[in-house]
Amino acid sequence: MKQRDLVLSIIDLCCDRPEFGRTSLQKVAYFVSQGLHQQLGHKAHFYGPFSEDVEDDVEGLLLAGLIDEKATSLGFQSYGGDAAKKYEYSMTDAGNERVEALRGAYPEEFQSLATFIERLEQAAGGLDQSVLSPAAKTYFIASREHRPVKTSEIRTFGAQLGWNLQRKQVLQVVAVLKTLGLVKQSAPAGTS
Amino acid sequence: MGTIEVRDAVHGLIPFGEQVWAVVDTPAYQRLRGVQQLAFTHLVYPGARHSRFEHCLGAAHVAGRLARGAGAVDPDVERIQLAALVHDIGHGPFSHVSEGVFERLTGRREIHESISAAIVCHDPGVSQALGDETAAWIAELLTHKGHARHRSFARDVVSGPADIDKLDYLLRDSHYCGVNYGRYDLDKVVESARQFDDPVASESYLAFHKDAIFALEEMLVARYHMNRQVYAHKTRVGIDQMLQRAMLLAVEENLLPVSVFAPPEEMDEAFVREYLAFDDAQVVKTLCGSADSKSGAVMKALMERRLCKQVFKLDNDAVLAKLNRTVGGFALKPDEQVLETMLAEAEERIAQVVGVDPIWVMLFWEDRKSPLTNRYSPRTQSSDIFLVNDEGQTSLFHDDSEVFRRGDVVTPPYVSLYVRMPDDERPDDAVTGALMDATFIELERIGKASNEV
């Protein structure tokens, strides 16, 4: 499956969850890349692991009319006065047709993706960015070190990337990562 | 020898110490005099004849000012200044045009930074002038590896969102191109530079006092305007494409060595030696010396300013008015592998419409991200600029700037056609229409192939 089709399939599998939006798409794609060993080009962006390639794919899917993007006001102003917005995705008829074709052409790949996203959703209690984002940051740091790392180190390395991770947050998301089989925990206060 | 001053066109008299001059006096560094900062941009802006040599001197000067202004002291400042001095030593012939060739031939990105690091470590003259320890430290800084995997004050100064590269090239390119778009208040930026310590990260970073917010906004607007008015100028884009084509053809024709223009991942001393033999003049001489070759023909045309001209530029509306939504969307953002496979044949068929050799036809997908919201590179994310107030509290530039707090501007993609007609004239309306029809046929083919499941 081409990368753009993988992104389309992720959107298809996730877009009916109310908490799923632009940020959680990036985080789900990040976990898919790690869990299913796909290179999706995530790098350390200020807001966490971010892939310009995935964003580019979304632009391509919008241009091709396979998905729609809707900006909804969150009803308050962000710092500086702009209306805070949430970006949500939905599938178009053409997008649904394409996903059906992908299911037929890549049945095993599609099933693995669906199973992985289901596991992610169960482990994180949904697809909310407030959980997926610190989980992605924590895993990004831990996997980059290629060695066991302590909770305090996760916070330190996170701060070096501009990521403010609280100790409690790290401990919470380690449980999510463990459930996904992405990390092993050698002691209650640390991750490996 | 002590401090010796040099007169720079942008910064005036700038003083450098002994070690800087020791690096400057190496053949590897002197080669930069022969690598033009903006390639053949002088064919559009005649004054743009400056080289990487003076840009690197300027960057080193700004690095010293910025680091000292932020409160850093020697030997840290000296080391940062040396890193700035060599930050572009790995640029190939015609600067970023070579980078495009490297990327096309290797599929990797940001290669010149790795080449700079290899030269710093493996060129005997440069590594001796720097000393082994400093050379290794600089190599990691330029490639964001080792100690520079994480943000630090030194990395922010040399290779960060408001680094010495941008602080120098905006003023320099603006000066030599004779445009005012790149000007901003460097003195205010330097005066407001601070070094702040983050106790959680056990690291210090470059920040700017909040008073400098307008100077920083001005610098970012300058970057945006230079990008749109100079770097993305339609004629310059065509010239860069011709130059890139000439170099790629020359590699195919065995006139330029693939060992240099498809750099290996592991770059040793032998690679560095071979690489350093190439500057702009060497490439021009090699290609023009082979008059019967296709690469030579393209290079000769460039030297005589007989250019491929932009015939038209197709935006979203134009493409979707002709092609169905899905195919049109894929045509505007084609699958990279599909494009690589189909592009040459598409250009060949379009060339047949006007009866020219396909080397004079270039389809160009322009998908320029806004330079202000280029989100993937820690070198360019303006959102990552730190501000600090009188109480030492930090904040992010994008949170405080009224101008730049919106970071999600998307620039729509375009497809342009560049053609050099036999008479070097612009095609008339009838020929333009025929070229457009042929281009739509090719876009439909590419869109359909990209749309295949």
Side-chain angles (χ1 to χ4, degrees):
Chain A
M1 201 188 299
K2 292 174 190 168
Q3 182 177 307
R4 202 178 300 176
D5 285 329
L6 181 63
V7 174
L8 177 67
S9 304
I10 292 172
I11 293 171
D12 174 63
L13 289 162
C14 301
C15 68
D16 58 346
R17 311 321 190 261
E19 71 274 21
F20 183 75
R22 196 186 268 183
T23 308
S24 42
L25 166 64
Q26 281 284 343
K27 306 311 170 205
V28 172
Y30 173 69
F31 282 115
V32 166
S33 74
Q34 299 301 304
L36 300 181
H37 310 292
Q38 305 265 355
Q39 278 295 329
L40 294 179
H42 284 82
K43 292 187 180 174
H45 179 251
F46 194 80
Y47 300 105
F50 172 88
S51 163
E52 199 197 20
D53 293 346
V54 169
E55 188 179 68
D56 210 42
D57 288 330
V58 170
E59 281 176 28
L61 294 168
L62 285 165
L63 266 176
L66 300 173
I67 58 168
D68 275 333
E69 186 182 59
K70 189 174 74 175
T72 329
S73 169
L74 291 173
F76 61 89
Q77 289 187 331
S78 61
Y79 185 89
D82 285 336
K85 285 178 190 160
K86 185 187 173 194
Y87 294 87
E88 295 169 312
Y89 300 107
S90 59
M91 300 293 291
T92 63
D93 290 345
N96 284 326
E97 271 177 40
R98 188 170 181 84
V99 168
E100 277 315 301
L102 291 168
R103 276 182 208 269
Y106 306 96
E108 286 174 17
E109 216 174 315
F110 199 92
Q111 190 51 51
S112 311
L113 180 69
T115 307
F116 183 83
I117 289 176
E118 207 178 306
R119 281 179 58 211
L120 177 66
E121 194 177 3
Q122 279 171 1
L127 298 176
D128 198 311
Q129 56 158 315
S130 63
V131 178
L132 294 183
S133 185
K137 288 172 184 170
T138 300
Y139 186 67
F140 187 92
I141 293 163
S143 60
R144 204 174 57 160
E145 292 303 313
H146 302 295
R147 64 174 175 83
V149 283
K150 295 177 183 163
T151 309
S152 57
E153 288 181 299
I154 298 272
R155 292 193 62 216
T156 303
F157 293 146
Q160 286 167 342
L161 295 166
W163 300 345
N164 182 15
L165 287 162
Q166 301 302 316
R167 180 183 153 78
K168 196 175 153 194
Q169 236 179 352
V170 174
L171 293 174
Q172 273 173 351
V173 297
V174 164
V176 175
L177 299 174
K178 268 176 67 185
T179 310
L180 287 170
L182 291 172
V183 297
K184 285 186 285 184
Q185 193 170 10
S186 54
T191 63
S192 63
Chain B
M1 174 164 105
T3 298
I4 294 181
E5 290 176 328
V6 63
R7 194 176 284 280
D8 178 70
V10 173
H11 303 296
L13 281 174
I14 54 182
F16 285 126
E18 233 169 88
Q19 201 176 4
V20 166
W21 289 116
V23 175
V24 171
D25 283 341
T26 61
Y29 196 89
Q30 291 293 321
R31 165 187 164 274
L32 293 177
R33 291 182 189 275
V35 178
Q36 294 211 29
Q37 172 84 358
L38 298 176
F40 273 5
T41 300
H42 58 85
L43 296 181
V44 182
Y45 297 97
R49 303 301 299 241
H50 54 306
S51 73
R52 290 276 152 190
F53 181 86
E54 51 262 44
H55 163 56
C56 287
L57 287 179
H61 169 65
V62 175
R65 286 188 67 193
L66 201 60
R68 282 189 214 288
V73 292
D74 289 334
D76 292 348
V77 175
E78 285 169 348
R79 207 158 57 154
I80 288 170
Q81 203 167 25
L82 288 166
L85 184 72
V86 297
H87 81 283
D88 270 351
I89 201 168
H91 259 300
F94 304 110
S95 297
H96 287 286
V97 178
S98 272
E99 191 75 3
V101 173
F102 301 157
E103 285 178 8
R104 284 285 296 275
L105 295 177
T106 65
R108 306 198 309 276
R109 288 181 188 171
E110 297 186 353
I111 297 175
H112 84 264
E113 286 89 350
S114 301
I115 299 174
S116 293
I119 292 170
V120 161
C121 292
H122 299 308
D123 177 75
V126 176
S127 62
Q128 195 185 339
L130 291 171
D132 288 347
E133 200 184 318
T134 302
W137 183 84
I138 290 173
E140 288 187 348
L141 188 65
L142 299 181
T143 51
H144 291 193
K145 288 180 180 161
H147 72 85
R149 271 181 319 148
H150 303 299
R151 252 184 112 163
S152 64
F153 177 74
R155 199 180 100 166
D156 280 351
V157 171
V158 176
S159 180
D163 62 21
I164 46 83
D165 184 32
K166 292 177 261 300
L167 294 180
D168 183 79
Y169 81 62
L170 288 171
L171 295 174
R172 191 167 301 279
D173 293 350
S174 191
H175 173 81
Y176 283 101
C177 289
V179 299
N180 282 321
Y181 313 115
R183 299 195 199 287
Y184 67 93
D185 190 349
L186 174 65
D187 289 342
K188 183 65 188 172
V189 171
V190 167
E191 185 265 335
S192 68
R194 302 283 186 276
Q195 189 171 190
F196 82 92
D197 299 321
D198 183 334
V200 180
S202 308
E203 191 59 85
S204 47
Y205 306 110
L206 173 66
F208 298 91
H209 190 276
K210 283 192 173 189
D211 283 355
I213 197 158
F214 302 122
L216 290 166
E217 285 176 351
E218 199 180 25
M219 188 268 285
L220 290 167
V221 169
R223 191 163 160 235
Y224 173 74
H225 287 169
M226 284 299 280
N227 193 289
R228 292 291 186 260
Q229 293 282 347
V230 176
Y231 310 135
H233 186 286
K234 67 176 182 178
T235 310
R236 180 183 189 261
V237 167
I239 290 166
D240 276 4
Q241 291 301 304
M242 284 179 77
L243 203 43
Q244 188 174 337
R245 172 158 291 178
M247 290 168 77
L248 286 166
L249 283 168
V251 173
E252 264 179 50
E253 293 167 335
N254 292 319
L255 293 171
L256 294 178
V258 71
S259 53
V260 167
F261 289 90
E265 288 201 52
E266 295 298 321
M267 299 167 194
D268 58 13
E269 193 178 336
F271 166 78
V272 166
R273 201 179 313 118
E274 194 183 8
Y275 184 85
L276 289 173
F278 286 90
D279 61 6
D280 298 2
Q282 183 61 34
V283 170
V284 171
K285 190 175 136 196
T286 306
L287 271 59
C288 289
S290 173
D292 295 339
S293 66
K294 292 194 174 207
S295 57
V298 178
M299 185 58 85
K300 196 159 179 287
L302 277 166
M303 299 303 287
E304 294 169 0
R305 206 185 183 281
R306 290 179 289 115
L307 306 178
C308 293
K309 295 186 175 113
Q310 189 186 62
V311 184
F312 49 75
K313 182 172 172 176
L314 302 171
D315 64 7
N316 197 13
D317 289 345
V319 172
L320 296 182
K322 280 270 189 182
L323 306 179
N324 89 42
R325 174 74 187 267
T326 307
V327 172
F330 276 102
L332 278 162
K333 268 189 175 292
D335 181 89
E336 278 181 27
Q337 283 180 336
V338 167
L339 191 59
E340 190 156 337
T341 317
M342 297 182 71
L343 183 59
E345 282 182 21
E347 289 173 341
E348 201 173 322
R349 282 190 286 265
I350 294 170
Q352 284 167 8
V353 172
V354 280
V356 296
D357 191 302
I359 60 171
W360 306 118
V361 172
M362 297 180 302
L363 267 177
F364 181 65
W365 272 258
E366 194 174 351
D367 195 3
R368 284 183 182 269
K369 303 293 177 202
S370 162
L372 302 175
T373 59
N374 188 348
R375 274 174 275 193
Y376 75 95
S377 169
R379 292 182 168 91
T380 54
Q381 287 162 2
S382 51
S383 57
D384 287 3
I385 298 173
F386 285 117
L387 298 177
V388 62
N389 65 13
D390 288 332
E391 286 72 48
Q393 293 162 325
T394 56
S395 57
L396 282 169
F397 174 76
H398 272 215
D399 287 339
D400 280 6
S401 166
E402 291 181 355
V403 178
F404 290 102
R405 60 174 170 254
R406 291 186 59 81
D408 58 354
V409 180
V410 173
T411 312
Y414 298 94
V415 182
S416 300
L417 180 73
Y418 286 84
V419 177
R420 189 185 146 220
M421 299 294 285
D423 54 4
D424 282 313
E425 292 299 317
R426 196 166 285 284
D428 62 24
D429 287 351
V431 175
T432 300
L435 283 168
M436 197 176 284
D437 290 345
T439 300
F440 274 118
I441 291 170
E442 297 311 321
L443 288 179
E444 190 169 23
R445 280 198 177 112
I446 290 165
K448 279 182 175 168
S450 296
N451 186 29
E452 275 171 22
V453 170

